Amino acid sequence: AQKVTQAQTEISVVEKEDVTLDCVYETRDTTYYLFWYKQPPSGELVFLIRRNSFDEQNEISGRYSWNFQKSTSSFNFTITASQVVDSAVYFCAPPSGSARQLTFGSGTQLTVLP
Amino acid sequence: DVKVTQSSRYLVKRTGEKVFLECVQDMDHENMFWYRQDPGLGLRLIYFSYDVKMKEKGDIPEGYSVSREKKERFSLILESASTNQTSMYLCASSTQGVSSYNEQFFGPGTRLTVL
């Protein structure tokens, strides 16, 4: 069985600080994908990134970066120079099953204070 | 842009009522999903459909049914609403594509309250 864990329930930072959100994905699969989604206060889930287990290189997109370490089953997400608009719940989610339905972690509530 | 719309943002129903939640996507996606979201539990899959008239149970199908008569529309039905079905309901769609690991696009959600 697979299990995704986001141990950080809530994180608060002050604007311009860097913040890292953790995600651990335990699975027996040798190849897999992981997605990150953002859910702002408006409620609509927004896709951020998809990574596969073959690629352990960091990926950077503007202030966002992702670090995938297969050896520790961790897929961490860092926001550099955080802004108030980054305040949201962030979900880590592996797809599975015949329709690639997503299994969501419990999410991390990030609050960026001005 | 992909657009997934849901019929209502907020809905209040009474126990025992039959409730329909509608979802429409405009990108010709094969897959459609219904999730519910509750505090501390993340998103949980109720049902999904990978083709017209096809449906599969997710993790928590009890008390729900679905209908997909047209490719763009996926309906979630609560035959007899109960208070424990008070929740945020999110619809999503995705294309099957070559790799099949394509992102899901979500609607804005329907916050259902059952009194």
Side-chain angles (χ1 to χ4, degrees):
Chain A
Q2 59 188 29
K3 182 180 177 183
V4 57
T5 303
Q6 293 182 258
Q8 304 151 306
T9 305
E10 296 181 22
I11 300 176
S12 258
V13 299
V14 177
E15 202 169 21
K16 298 185 182 177
E17 286 184 5
D18 298 346
V19 57
T20 295
L21 310 182
D22 300 330
C23 172
V24 174
Y25 178 47
E26 298 169 51
T27 178
R28 292 181 179 176
D29 295 338
T30 54
T31 61
Y32 50 88
Y33 281 78
L34 278 169
F35 292 70
W36 275 94
Y37 280 82
K38 171 183 179 180
Q39 188 175 38
S42 61
E44 191 161 340
L45 279 156
V46 177
F47 168 74
L48 295 177
I49 191 171
R50 174 186 61 203
R51 296 302 302 277
N52 68 60
S53 55
F54 285 106
D55 188 357
E56 292 197 45
Q57 290 185 344
N58 287 359
E59 180 160 341
I60 298 173
S61 175
R63 295 184 298 106
Y64 296 166
S65 63
W66 289 269
N67 176 253
F68 189 25
Q69 294 182 336
K70 192 173 181 180
S71 59
T72 57
S73 301
S74 64
F75 183 32
N76 298 332
F77 170 40
T78 297
I79 302 174
T80 303
S82 59
Q83 300 175 0
V84 173
V85 293
D86 295 327
S87 296
V89 181
Y90 291 84
F91 292 96
C92 170
S96 65
S98 56
R100 307 296 186 252
Q101 59 268 33
L102 295 172
T103 300
F104 282 79
S106 53
T108 298
Q109 170 72 60
L110 172 65
T111 302
V112 181
L113 303 169
Chain B
D1 285 347
V2 173
K3 188 154 186 169
V4 180
T5 57
Q6 295 182 229
S7 49
S8 306
R9 287 302 302 268
Y10 300 93
L11 207 53
V12 179
K13 295 292 182 181
R14 297 207 173 273
T15 301
E17 281 192 76
K18 189 169 186 175
V19 182
F20 292 86
L21 303 182
E22 304 286 341
C23 175
V24 178
Q25 50 93 6
D26 66 0
M27 282 301 290
D28 203 36
H29 284 173
E30 294 83 5
N31 299 330
M32 295 189 75
F33 308 83
W34 274 108
Y35 296 89
R36 66 176 281 178
Q37 182 176 23
D38 301 288
L41 297 177
L43 273 77
R44 294 177 292 168
L45 180 66
I46 305 171
Y47 267 97
F48 67 93
S49 168
Y50 51 89
D51 202 350
V52 176
K53 296 191 185 293
M54 305 303 290
K55 60 185 179 184
E56 293 284 344
K57 293 180 180 179
D59 298 321
I60 50 164
E62 296 79 19
Y64 303 95
S65 62
V66 290
S67 172
R68 194 167 180 199
E69 296 297 318
K70 293 184 178 181
K71 191 175 185 180
E72 68 271 18
R73 187 181 298 270
F74 191 35
S75 303
L76 180 69
I77 303 156
L78 287 67
E79 294 289 343
S80 178
S82 63
T83 55
N84 62 12
Q85 292 179 309
T86 292
S87 186
M88 170 70 90
Y89 290 87
L90 291 158
C91 175
S93 72
S94 70
T95 183
Q96 287 176 355
V98 175
S99 73
S100 293
Y101 288 100
N102 298 307
E103 62 267 33
Q104 292 180 20
F105 295 87
F106 283 82
T110 296
R111 187 167 293 281
L112 172 67
T113 301
V114 182
L115 301 175

